[in-house]
Amino acid sequence: MKPLRILGIETSCDETSVALLEVRKTATKILFHEIASQIPVHQLYGGVVPEVAARLHVKETVELLDRALGIRQGSPSTGSGTILGSFDAIAVTQGPGLATALRVGIEAGRTLAFLSGKPIVGVNHLEGHLASAWLVPENRKRWKFPILFLLVSGGHSELVLMKDFCSYRVIGRTRDDAAGEAFDKTAKFMGLGYPGGPAIAKLAASLLTPHTSRFHLPRPMLNDSSCDMSFSGLKTAVRREWEALPKKKREDEGTKADIAAAIQEAIVDVLIGKTIRAVEKTKPTAVAIVGGVSANRRLQERMATAVERTGVRLLHAARGLHTDNAAMIAAAGAWRLEKGERHDWKKIDAKPEWDLG
Ligand code: KG4
Ligand code: ZN
């Protein structure tokens, strides 16, 4: 089989990313991959501002495509003749995400599809996160369906059973805030900046025993028989604890670290409890954690222990591919193209609210 070179484009939220992924029957190779993060800009506002995100995507998408394809130099960085000959297909994030941000990537993809005559496929960003696990060579060797995914990002918290490529059943999801949102919102009112997850994880890790905090927070819906989750009550409880503290305590690093550890532990408890319940219900061959929150070390370590006890294998985390990136979009695009899916470049449009399944 001739290798397929897929140009991936991701602009759904606050990272602009372009990748060139080579897909063969037995292996994948990332030929080019860059992520231009907008986080330093959004930090000034305490969160993502959609209009600002879209404007930055316009600038960065062109720059990254230039570097991926060698447009300015007039020769592609990866060889094979002309610039438009350096890829065989285009995969672009179609949704879910911010409508104006998504449209930037889609317009770039449409233009390249029109000029090159190559196929374009619109990818679900959530499917992209699942595909990040497939980019890890060791995982590919043990890729046997059904696989249970805990997908935890800033906008989503879902337990998804992958029955086959492109075939999913959502086993449970958050009824309100996503796990990443719980990290981000609690960090915001503690003055820790954006994004909150890494800041809370870093503070918690500064304690000698990060799991024994003197703050006791609720584990919403942990004992409920469903695989659904809820994190908005946790946010309220943290706010209550935080506001009850005297000003001096709120400025004390040790106290902040204690609260951070309590937040992290409560979120991790719920995510693990629900994942194990879903393992019991669905009997997968393996479990994978994907999405921005899967970068959390404590979650990775505790999940490894909990999953091992069930006798099911935990797939490796895709290092460097936890948060939004275009390599995962190109990988999911490969699955879709393999199934014969193509979009009409004249009609492809953003799907800001697009569920998996
Ligand atoms: O997948 P992602 O990049 O974007 C979405 O699709 O939403 O995830 C971003 C989320 C943010 O909420 C961020 O706080 C969280 O991932 N995050 C973390 C860590 N790194 C990123 N949460 C906990 N611990 C981390 N180390
Ligand atoms: Zn994401």
Side-chain angles (χ1 to χ4, degrees), residues 10 12 125-126 129 153-154 291-292 322-324 328:
E10 156 66 36
S12 69
H125 178 84
L126 307 180
H129 276 300
S153 68
H322 301 284
T323 48
D324 294 346
M328 70 182 196

PDB file of all heavy atoms in Angstrom, residues 10 12 125-126 129 153-154 291-292 322-324 328, ligand 2:
ATOM      1  N   GLU A  10      -5.887  22.108  12.736  1.00  0.00           N
ATOM      2  CA  GLU A  10      -6.702  22.213  13.952  1.00  0.00           C
ATOM      3  C   GLU A  10      -6.785  23.673  14.386  1.00  0.00           C
ATOM      4  O   GLU A  10      -5.742  24.305  14.635  1.00  0.00           O
ATOM      5  CB  GLU A  10      -6.073  21.336  15.056  1.00  0.00           C
ATOM      6  CG  GLU A  10      -6.389  21.714  16.494  1.00  0.00           C
ATOM      7  CD  GLU A  10      -7.856  21.553  16.901  1.00  0.00           C
ATOM      8  OE1 GLU A  10      -8.521  20.612  16.443  1.00  0.00           O
ATOM      9  OE2 GLU A  10      -8.334  22.411  17.677  1.00  0.00           O
ATOM     10  N   SER A  12      -9.815  24.647  16.595  1.00  0.00           N
ATOM     11  CA  SER A  12     -11.137  24.668  17.239  1.00  0.00           C
ATOM     12  C   SER A  12     -11.220  25.567  18.463  1.00  0.00           C
ATOM     13  O   SER A  12     -12.292  26.006  18.846  1.00  0.00           O
ATOM     14  CB  SER A  12     -11.571  23.255  17.618  1.00  0.00           C
ATOM     15  OG  SER A  12     -10.764  22.773  18.662  1.00  0.00           O
ATOM     16  N   HIS A 125     -13.409  16.809  16.468  1.00  0.00           N
ATOM     17  CA  HIS A 125     -12.276  17.080  17.359  1.00  0.00           C
ATOM     18  C   HIS A 125     -12.152  16.009  18.461  1.00  0.00           C
ATOM     19  O   HIS A 125     -11.048  15.623  18.857  1.00  0.00           O
ATOM     20  CB  HIS A 125     -12.474  18.473  17.968  1.00  0.00           C
ATOM     21  CG  HIS A 125     -11.436  18.884  18.940  1.00  0.00           C
ATOM     22  ND1 HIS A 125     -10.248  19.453  18.559  1.00  0.00           N
ATOM     23  CD2 HIS A 125     -11.388  18.807  20.286  1.00  0.00           C
ATOM     24  CE1 HIS A 125      -9.523  19.712  19.627  1.00  0.00           C
ATOM     25  NE2 HIS A 125     -10.192  19.326  20.707  1.00  0.00           N
ATOM     26  N   LEU A 126     -13.292  15.509  18.929  1.00  0.00           N
ATOM     27  CA  LEU A 126     -13.276  14.496  19.998  1.00  0.00           C
ATOM     28  C   LEU A 126     -12.704  13.190  19.459  1.00  0.00           C
ATOM     29  O   LEU A 126     -11.942  12.503  20.148  1.00  0.00           O
ATOM     30  CB  LEU A 126     -14.688  14.278  20.555  1.00  0.00           C
ATOM     31  CG  LEU A 126     -15.407  15.555  21.020  1.00  0.00           C
ATOM     32  CD1 LEU A 126     -16.797  15.221  21.546  1.00  0.00           C
ATOM     33  CD2 LEU A 126     -14.608  16.261  22.099  1.00  0.00           C
ATOM     34  N   HIS A 129      -9.054  13.469  19.541  1.00  0.00           N
ATOM     35  CA  HIS A 129      -8.432  13.139  20.834  1.00  0.00           C
ATOM     36  C   HIS A 129      -8.302  11.617  20.993  1.00  0.00           C
ATOM     37  O   HIS A 129      -7.279  11.125  21.464  1.00  0.00           O
ATOM     38  CB  HIS A 129      -9.250  13.716  21.989  1.00  0.00           C
ATOM     39  CG  HIS A 129      -8.925  15.153  22.296  1.00  0.00           C
ATOM     40  ND1 HIS A 129      -7.663  15.560  22.672  1.00  0.00           N
ATOM     41  CD2 HIS A 129      -9.683  16.284  22.290  1.00  0.00           C
ATOM     42  CE1 HIS A 129      -7.662  16.876  22.865  1.00  0.00           C
ATOM     43  NE2 HIS A 129      -8.874  17.334  22.637  1.00  0.00           N
ATOM     44  N   SER A 153     -11.238  16.866  28.635  1.00  0.00           N
ATOM     45  CA  SER A 153     -10.609  18.081  28.117  1.00  0.00           C
ATOM     46  C   SER A 153     -11.248  19.289  28.781  1.00  0.00           C
ATOM     47  O   SER A 153     -11.984  19.166  29.760  1.00  0.00           O
ATOM     48  CB  SER A 153     -10.769  18.124  26.601  1.00  0.00           C
ATOM     49  OG  SER A 153     -12.119  18.297  26.276  1.00  0.00           O
ATOM     50  N   GLY A 154     -10.970  20.470  28.213  1.00  0.00           N
ATOM     51  CA  GLY A 154     -11.542  21.681  28.788  1.00  0.00           C
ATOM     52  C   GLY A 154     -13.030  21.803  28.506  1.00  0.00           C
ATOM     53  O   GLY A 154     -13.763  22.456  29.250  1.00  0.00           O
ATOM     54  N   GLY A 291      -7.135  13.652  25.958  1.00  0.00           N
ATOM     55  CA  GLY A 291      -7.604  15.024  26.189  1.00  0.00           C
ATOM     56  C   GLY A 291      -6.670  15.744  27.146  1.00  0.00           C
ATOM     57  O   GLY A 291      -5.844  15.113  27.819  1.00  0.00           O
ATOM     58  N   GLY A 292      -6.791  17.057  27.213  1.00  0.00           N
ATOM     59  CA  GLY A 292      -5.867  17.890  27.990  1.00  0.00           C
ATOM     60  C   GLY A 292      -5.654  17.436  29.420  1.00  0.00           C
ATOM     61  O   GLY A 292      -4.519  17.415  29.906  1.00  0.00           O
ATOM     62  N   HIS A 322      -1.542  15.381  24.389  1.00  0.00           N
ATOM     63  CA  HIS A 322      -2.711  15.423  25.277  1.00  0.00           C
ATOM     64  C   HIS A 322      -3.619  16.587  24.901  1.00  0.00           C
ATOM     65  O   HIS A 322      -4.822  16.434  24.754  1.00  0.00           O
ATOM     66  CB  HIS A 322      -2.284  15.627  26.738  1.00  0.00           C
ATOM     67  CG  HIS A 322      -1.380  14.575  27.258  1.00  0.00           C
ATOM     68  ND1 HIS A 322      -1.840  13.335  27.606  1.00  0.00           N
ATOM     69  CD2 HIS A 322      -0.048  14.577  27.503  1.00  0.00           C
ATOM     70  CE1 HIS A 322      -0.821  12.615  28.044  1.00  0.00           C
ATOM     71  NE2 HIS A 322       0.273  13.344  27.991  1.00  0.00           N
ATOM     72  N   THR A 323      -3.004  17.767  24.792  1.00  0.00           N
ATOM     73  CA  THR A 323      -3.810  18.954  24.488  1.00  0.00           C
ATOM     74  C   THR A 323      -3.988  19.052  22.962  1.00  0.00           C
ATOM     75  O   THR A 323      -3.464  18.227  22.213  1.00  0.00           O
ATOM     76  CB  THR A 323      -3.152  20.218  25.075  1.00  0.00           C
ATOM     77  OG1 THR A 323      -1.789  20.210  24.717  1.00  0.00           O
ATOM     78  CG2 THR A 323      -3.261  20.255  26.595  1.00  0.00           C
ATOM     79  N   ASP A 324      -4.734  20.064  22.534  1.00  0.00           N
ATOM     80  CA  ASP A 324      -5.141  20.137  21.129  1.00  0.00           C
ATOM     81  C   ASP A 324      -3.955  20.174  20.162  1.00  0.00           C
ATOM     82  O   ASP A 324      -3.008  20.932  20.366  1.00  0.00           O
ATOM     83  CB  ASP A 324      -6.015  21.376  20.930  1.00  0.00           C
ATOM     84  CG  ASP A 324      -7.322  21.238  21.693  1.00  0.00           C
ATOM     85  OD1 ASP A 324      -7.638  20.109  22.140  1.00  0.00           O
ATOM     86  OD2 ASP A 324      -8.031  22.246  21.827  1.00  0.00           O
ATOM     87  N   MET A 328      -3.285  14.564  15.792  1.00  0.00           N
ATOM     88  CA  MET A 328      -4.425  13.696  16.128  1.00  0.00           C
ATOM     89  C   MET A 328      -5.575  13.887  15.118  1.00  0.00           C
ATOM     90  O   MET A 328      -6.315  12.950  14.832  1.00  0.00           O
ATOM     91  CB  MET A 328      -4.900  13.963  17.566  1.00  0.00           C
ATOM     92  CG  MET A 328      -5.578  15.303  17.784  1.00  0.00           C
ATOM     93  SD  MET A 328      -6.041  15.558  19.521  1.00  0.00           S
ATOM     94  CE  MET A 328      -7.226  16.935  19.354  1.00  0.00           C
TER      95      MET A 328
HETATM   96 ZN    ZN B   2      -9.442  19.293  22.665  1.00  0.00          ZN
END
